Amino acid sequence: DVQLQASGGGLVQTGGSLRLSCIVSGRIFGDYVIGWFRQAPGKEREGVSCISSSDGSTHYADSVKGRFTISNNNAKNTVDLQMNNLKPEDTAVYYCAIEVNQNLIKEVPLSRIGAGQYDWWGQGTLVTVSS
């Protein structure tokens, strides 16, 4: 099995920054995709960003483009999400997840890998942006 642990959430003012980290452990064979998702109170879970291990390609939701940056930190076995210029609407519990299905990774564009297709999930970390 693979384990993921998200951290780095907290309380920040509008316009501030936070850096989330997703620690990935366990045996992974082949390529994988790490995704960040968020769920605000009363809303459905939505995809924020994802990154492919094979070529480092990334995808961002329109709502975070230009403000959030996802990156692989291979030395620490983490996938980080740098969040800048935070807005109150970014308030949510943020989750990281991993997709390891090799066929899916090869055939489906990053933008179309939905939350239901990810194999393992970490616990969430709460991000609160005050206005």
Tab-separated table of all heavy atoms in Angstrom, residues 23-24 73-78 80:
chain	number	residue	atom	x	y	z
A	23	ILE	N	3.484	14.057	1.875
A	23	ILE	CA	4.543	13.060	2.026
A	23	ILE	C	4.013	11.726	1.509
A	23	ILE	O	2.952	11.266	1.947
A	23	ILE	CB	4.972	12.922	3.492
A	23	ILE	CG1	5.483	14.266	4.012
A	23	ILE	CG2	6.035	11.846	3.631
A	23	ILE	CD1	5.776	14.265	5.489
A	24	VAL	N	4.753	11.139	0.608
A	24	VAL	CA	4.347	9.878	-0.007
A	24	VAL	C	5.281	8.773	0.459
A	24	VAL	O	6.497	8.901	0.350
A	24	VAL	CB	4.375	9.981	-1.544
A	24	VAL	CG1	3.858	8.678	-2.172
A	24	VAL	CG2	3.552	11.161	-2.016
A	73	ASN	N	9.288	17.208	-4.915
A	73	ASN	CA	10.524	17.323	-4.170
A	73	ASN	C	11.010	15.893	-3.945
A	73	ASN	O	10.681	15.252	-2.953
A	73	ASN	CB	10.311	18.046	-2.843
A	73	ASN	CG	11.616	18.324	-2.125
A	73	ASN	OD1	12.589	17.574	-2.246
A	73	ASN	ND2	11.656	19.413	-1.376
A	74	ASN	N	11.776	15.398	-4.900
A	74	ASN	CA	12.187	13.995	-4.860
A	74	ASN	C	13.088	13.691	-3.674
A	74	ASN	O	13.077	12.589	-3.142
A	74	ASN	CB	12.890	13.625	-6.160
A	74	ASN	CG	11.938	13.641	-7.340
A	74	ASN	OD1	10.770	13.276	-7.214
A	74	ASN	ND2	12.415	14.073	-8.500
A	75	ALA	N	13.864	14.663	-3.241
A	75	ALA	CA	14.773	14.437	-2.123
A	75	ALA	C	13.995	14.148	-0.837
A	75	ALA	O	14.448	13.394	0.019
A	75	ALA	CB	15.680	15.644	-1.938
A	76	LYS	N	12.831	14.769	-0.712
A	76	LYS	CA	12.033	14.601	0.501
A	76	LYS	C	10.850	13.673	0.294
A	76	LYS	O	10.085	13.430	1.218
A	76	LYS	CB	11.518	15.961	0.985
A	76	LYS	CG	12.611	16.914	1.438
A	76	LYS	CD	12.014	18.207	1.985
A	76	LYS	CE	13.093	19.148	2.487
A	76	LYS	NZ	12.522	20.408	3.034
A	77	ASN	N	10.692	13.163	-0.944
A	77	ASN	CA	9.521	12.338	-1.261
A	77	ASN	C	8.218	13.068	-0.970
A	77	ASN	O	7.272	12.504	-0.411
A	77	ASN	CB	9.545	11.019	-0.491
A	77	ASN	CG	10.373	9.958	-1.196
A	77	ASN	OD1	10.745	10.119	-2.350
A	77	ASN	ND2	10.646	8.886	-0.499
A	78	THR	N	8.187	14.322	-1.337
A	78	THR	CA	6.966	15.098	-1.145
A	78	THR	C	6.530	15.733	-2.461
A	78	THR	O	7.341	15.918	-3.377
A	78	THR	CB	7.144	16.210	-0.107
A	78	THR	OG1	8.094	17.164	-0.589
A	78	THR	CG2	7.602	15.652	1.230
A	80	ASP	N	4.668	19.241	-3.261
A	80	ASP	CA	4.301	20.467	-2.583
A	80	ASP	C	3.331	21.291	-3.425
A	80	ASP	O	3.373	21.255	-4.656
A	80	ASP	CB	5.545	21.297	-2.290
A	80	ASP	CG	6.503	20.588	-1.347
A	80	ASP	OD1	6.051	19.677	-0.625
A	80	ASP	OD2	7.687	20.935	-1.340
